[in-house]
Amino acid sequence: MSKTFYERNLVKEWNLIMANKVTVLGSLNVDTTLRVPRMPLPGETLSTENKSSAAGGKGANQAVAAARAGAETRFIGKVGNDDAGRFMVESLQNDGIDTSAIVTDQTVGTGSAFILLDEAGQNSILVYGGSNQQIEEKEVLADEDDIANEDFLITQFETPQAAALTAFKVAKKHGVTTILNPAPAAEISPELLTYTDLVVPNETESADLTGIEVTDVASMDANAKKFREMGVKNLIITVGSKGAYYATEKASGFVPAFKVKAVDTTAAGDTFIGALSSQLKPDLSNIETALVFAQRASSLTVQGLGAMPSIPTYDQVIEASK
């Protein structure tokens, strides 16, 4: 991507955008990363080169990305009554995220994830849902007054879809724009899609949901048409190192990714969504500008190790764009 074409005049626009108010309903996991020379074959034992732990979870990563990019961010979630849970809450608070809607489960432990990271920067992830899977609809409804004041509500599939549907219904009741990241890929509630303003899958997730393989722009257009038939008018498909496709009611296009050397792709997609929500207008009228910002933020994330530790701040994105 040419910085001259895409960014020279965009930094000023990013600086002028007022802080969005974003609530994330999502997962809180303690991530343990194991560095390996390559992914093990079935039945094979490999020695790890390094082991590290950090705060993570798709929901937490997206919230941190939004907060570091300048959004006023709140979190709805659940942790266990354990050290891991207290660590996750403190980690969000350290980034200025409002954690008042995080509930402590007295019977189930905090979620966790185990990440295998190879020398090429690719990863495989195993997730234990834990307390993330215990979020109840009544806990979402208890937060209605705060949701009503937001610009965006974001959720993913590491927490129950029933809670997501309740949250989206509340959001739409109050005119809040809803963003669904259907990851990890799962069978989706048709009703949830009808309350979704913007769906943001990667190419694999999009194909799983529509039945249309993503190979080129024409197939992405076909995916957008299918999503409209399913009730979602606006779509972004992230295509890894290639970039991101978007389709709204008014326009469609493809924004190329920035070319960088990836060290660790963990949280790249989460950074993209969080950063996007910090810049996007609720009516999506500046979607291409916001996409460029999100792509730049994601390109910085993949150049660092770990999920949350590698998520950039607003100033870092701006500096990289000069």
Side-chain angles (χ1 to χ4, degrees):
M1 177 185 290
S2 167
K3 184 182 294 185
T4 299
F5 180 78
Y6 279 99
E7 292 184 280
R8 182 170 291 173
N9 296 317
L10 294 183
V11 172
K12 292 181 180 179
E13 185 171 342
W14 294 337
N15 283 322
L16 290 173
I17 292 176
M18 299 296 289
N20 282 338
K21 295 181 179 180
V22 177
T23 286
V24 178
L25 163 63
S27 55
L28 296 154
N29 294 330
V30 175
D31 290 347
T32 298
T33 300
L34 304 173
R35 299 203 68 182
V36 293
R38 57 176 173 77
M39 293 300 166
L41 300 172
E44 182 181 20
T45 299
L46 288 180
S47 295
T48 61
E49 299 173 348
N50 190 30
K51 175 185 175 181
S52 60
S53 294
K58 294 190 69 62
N61 292 338
Q62 290 173 14
V64 167
R68 290 184 186 173
E72 295 181 20
T73 309
R74 300 177 59 258
F75 199 91
I76 302 173
K78 208 163 197 178
V79 295
N81 185 17
D82 47 34
D83 289 341
R86 288 181 280 275
F87 168 70
M88 288 304 307
V89 172
E90 290 173 3
S91 296
L92 296 188
Q93 292 173 342
N94 288 340
D95 275 292
I97 296 169
D98 182 346
T99 61
S100 59
I102 295 178
V103 177
T104 299
D105 191 294
Q106 300 297 329
T107 59
V108 180
T110 300
S112 58
F114 297 88
I115 303 164
L116 294 181
L117 176 65
D118 69 17
E119 292 179 347
Q122 296 300 309
N123 61 53
S124 294
I125 304 175
L126 300 173
V127 177
Y128 164 66
S131 55
N132 294 313
Q133 294 301 316
Q134 305 304 312
I135 297 175
E136 299 180 54
E137 297 169 58
K138 65 180 181 182
E139 293 160 349
V140 175
L141 290 171
D143 200 50
E144 179 170 355
D145 289 346
D146 287 313
I147 292 174
N149 294 318
E150 302 299 271
D151 295 306
F152 293 97
L153 175 65
I154 304 171
T155 196
Q156 331 76 32
F157 283 169
E158 287 186 343
T159 50
Q161 286 192 40
L165 177 58
T166 298
F168 274 21
K169 285 182 176 179
V170 169
K172 296 312 300 172
K173 174 182 175 182
H174 297 284
V176 177
T177 301
T178 56
I179 300 177
L180 175 64
N181 174 216
E187 185 175 346
I188 191 169
S189 161
E191 187 179 9
L192 179 59
L193 288 176
T194 66
Y195 286 92
T196 300
D197 291 310
L198 173 63
V199 62
V200 190
N202 63 26
E203 70 269 38
T204 302
E205 293 154 356
S206 189
D208 285 346
L209 291 172
T210 65
I212 303 169
E213 185 179 0
V214 175
T215 56
D216 53 19
V217 173
S219 64
M220 295 179 196
D221 288 339
N223 270 261
K225 180 180 179 180
K226 183 65 175 180
F227 272 114
R228 286 193 294 270
E229 294 171 356
M230 296 163 71
V232 188
K233 297 178 181 179
N234 306 292
L235 167 69
I236 294 173
I237 303 175
T238 57
V239 195
S241 61
K242 295 179 182 178
Y245 165 89
Y246 70 93
T248 68
E249 294 181 89
K250 297 181 179 179
S252 65
F254 193 89
V255 177
F258 295 93
K259 302 302 180 184
V260 298
K261 180 176 175 56
V263 175
D264 181 359
T265 57
T266 306
D270 296 333
T271 298
F272 176 92
I273 291 171
L276 177 78
S277 72
S278 77
Q279 298 294 309
L280 191 62
K281 294 179 181 179
D283 64 1
L284 313 186
S285 59
N286 68 332
I287 191 167
E288 186 166 350
T289 300
L291 276 171
V292 176
F293 183 92
Q295 292 277 32
R296 175 57 79 185
S298 186
S299 76
L300 294 175
T301 294
V302 301
Q303 295 180 69
L305 287 174
M308 241 178 242
S310 65
I311 296 173
T313 63
Y314 174 86
D315 288 343
Q316 288 171 328
V317 175
I318 296 300
E319 184 61 32
S321 302
K322 291 180 178 179

